[in-house]
Amino acid sequence: MSPIATIPESIPGVKFASSLQRPQVSMAPTARKLGTKRKIICFSDFDGTIFMQDTGFVLFNQFGCGQTKAVALEHQIKTGERSFRDVSEEMWGSLNVTFDDGFEVMKTALEIDPAFREFHTFCQSNDIPFNVISAGLKPVLRGVLDHFIGQEASSNIKIIANDVQISKDGGAWKPVWLHDTPLGHDKARSITEARAQANDMFAVDGTVPLIVFIGDGVSDLPAAREADVLFARRGLRLEEYCIENRIPYIPFDTFADVQRELTKIARRDEEQTRGQGMPADFNPRANMWRRISSGNAIPLLKQRTPKVERVLAWPDALPRLGQESAPVAA
């Protein structure tokens, strides 16, 4: 992870909230050219990161199981009583609304990060691929991005998420899971596959791209572990967890902070490496979970992994290791 990220013992004056607060708007830096050689690739969570609300909960509260039931179901995930995939299927299955009618509510209920549009322009100006990795439903996320940033800008963002089948009358919503795991979408697998693809496409003479992940919740940890640089939204659970477990990260309030810090990282890398070989902020732990090929090595590594991460990091090992906990909802 990035060595510039500080790891304080605590954050004075910060109360970690279960729901998102409106971020303080900081002046977005100009979307100028970086003038650096190394390829940078960004991955970001969607709900709670790009948008301040959760797209699914907006629909559940209005057209499905309702807020009280949704909170109770989410608690079942946190306690390990049920898997994220199992609970999510019940939540999405509770909906009784057409896609178009549900989308009309999301247009007014959702709030985009105030600096995201500028950051996305910055990425386009510097040929930085921006990818969304989400446990949500791809058609919903694409429709939201099309509306808030425009179809042309949205078309430049790759979305890696689950699909969905919706009946014509809106009475049946059935998620089509990206992976056959208790998570439904194994974010760590997705970012590992993307990193390997990026290395094949952009690595020249041993030079590898810089991988950046931006998130807000503990469910982002498996993907975050695979990145060279981790940005965690300030005051929320991912930052709290990073502090508790001394995981290097960079806090942010809006995407203006991400742009500013990423610019510093890219320019420092240019000074130190001239864009060659490994990034200055290379994460030697990246892909650790997936590099382990010996089944005998899994129990020892699982034992050394913090409890809240175990099911997230080892979903394929659950049948033989036993399900001690379950992933926290995104």
Side-chain angles (χ1 to χ4, degrees):
M1 291 294 178
S2 169
I4 69 168
T6 58
I7 315 176
E9 294 297 332
S10 62
I11 303 179
V14 172
K15 294 182 179 179
F16 296 104
S18 58
S19 59
L20 291 170
Q21 305 296 319
R22 183 185 299 272
Q24 294 182 351
V25 181
S26 53
M27 185 65 67
T30 304
R32 64 183 63 178
K33 289 283 187 178
L34 283 172
T36 55
K37 300 182 184 68
R38 187 179 305 280
K39 188 70 175 179
I40 300 172
I41 303 176
C42 282
F43 297 88
S44 176
D45 181 41
F46 192 87
D47 297 314
T49 302
I50 298 175
F51 285 84
M52 308 311 297
Q53 296 78 22
D54 186 293
T55 51
F57 274 82
V58 168
L59 295 175
F60 305 150
N61 293 346
Q62 188 79 14
F63 304 107
C65 57
Q67 183 175 3
T68 301
K69 179 66 172 178
V71 170
L73 289 172
E74 187 179 30
H75 182 70
Q76 292 179 354
I77 299 174
K78 293 178 179 178
T79 60
E81 181 180 345
R82 297 170 66 188
S83 72
F84 176 82
R85 174 172 171 169
D86 186 30
V87 168
S88 294
E89 285 184 344
E90 180 172 343
M91 286 180 170
W92 289 109
S94 72
L95 291 179
N96 186 12
V97 63
T98 64
F99 181 89
D100 290 341
D101 289 344
F103 188 68
E104 286 301 313
V105 171
M106 287 190 287
K107 286 180 182 179
T108 57
L110 295 176
E111 179 184 8
I112 193 170
D113 180 287
F116 178 75
R117 295 180 184 87
E118 183 70 21
F119 177 77
H120 184 240
T121 300
F122 164 79
C123 289
Q124 291 183 293
S125 298
N126 288 282
D127 194 26
I128 299 174
F130 185 88
N131 307 272
V132 166
I133 291 188
S134 172
L137 305 182
K138 186 174 181 179
V140 173
L141 308 186
R142 178 63 71 193
V144 169
L145 282 177
D146 286 351
H147 174 74
F148 279 87
I149 69 173
Q151 291 185 358
E152 183 177 353
S154 172
S155 67
N156 293 308
I157 297 177
K158 181 178 180 180
I159 298 177
I160 307 169
N162 305 300
D163 209 332
V164 63
Q165 295 175 346
I166 308 172
S167 62
K168 290 183 178 180
D169 63 358
W173 288 57
K174 181 176 177 57
V176 179
W177 301 106
L178 194 60
H179 299 130
D180 187 17
T181 71
L183 295 171
H185 177 193
D186 183 345
K187 293 183 181 181
R189 182 190 299 184
S190 291
I191 201 169
T192 300
E193 293 171 351
R195 177 190 277 275
Q197 183 180 20
N199 287 341
D200 291 340
M201 293 175 62
F202 303 114
V204 179
D205 297 329
T207 296
V208 300
L210 180 76
I211 304 298
V212 176
F213 186 82
I214 309 160
D216 70 291
V218 175
S219 66
D220 295 326
L221 272 172
R225 292 286 196 185
E226 301 296 328
D228 298 311
V229 178
L230 168 61
F231 288 93
R233 188 174 283 283
R234 194 188 306 275
L236 296 182
R237 189 64 184 97
L238 179 57
E239 182 185 40
E240 181 183 13
Y241 188 82
C242 287
I243 293 169
E244 291 171 352
N245 294 276
R246 302 189 64 77
I247 298 171
Y249 76 102
I250 302 172
F252 75 98
D253 293 307
T254 75
F255 273 82
D257 302 319
V258 177
Q259 180 176 331
R260 187 176 297 106
E261 294 303 319
L262 187 55
T263 297
K264 294 177 184 177
I265 291 169
R267 290 177 176 167
R268 186 179 67 254
D269 177 73
E270 185 71 15
E271 292 176 359
Q272 295 181 11
T273 72
R274 302 300 179 189
Q276 299 177 352
M278 298 294 184
D281 292 276
F282 180 71
N283 173 18
R285 291 191 60 186
N287 300 329
M288 182 187 74
W289 310 124
R290 309 306 175 186
R291 281 203 301 264
I292 304 301
S293 58
S294 170
N296 294 329
I298 290 178
L300 177 60
L301 286 170
K302 177 176 178 288
Q303 182 179 359
R304 293 177 178 176
T305 302
K307 183 176 181 181
V308 72
E309 290 184 59
R310 290 178 189 172
V311 173
L312 296 171
W314 307 102
D316 299 331
L318 285 177
R320 62 180 180 278
L321 293 175
Q323 186 169 349
E324 297 181 10
S325 59
V328 179

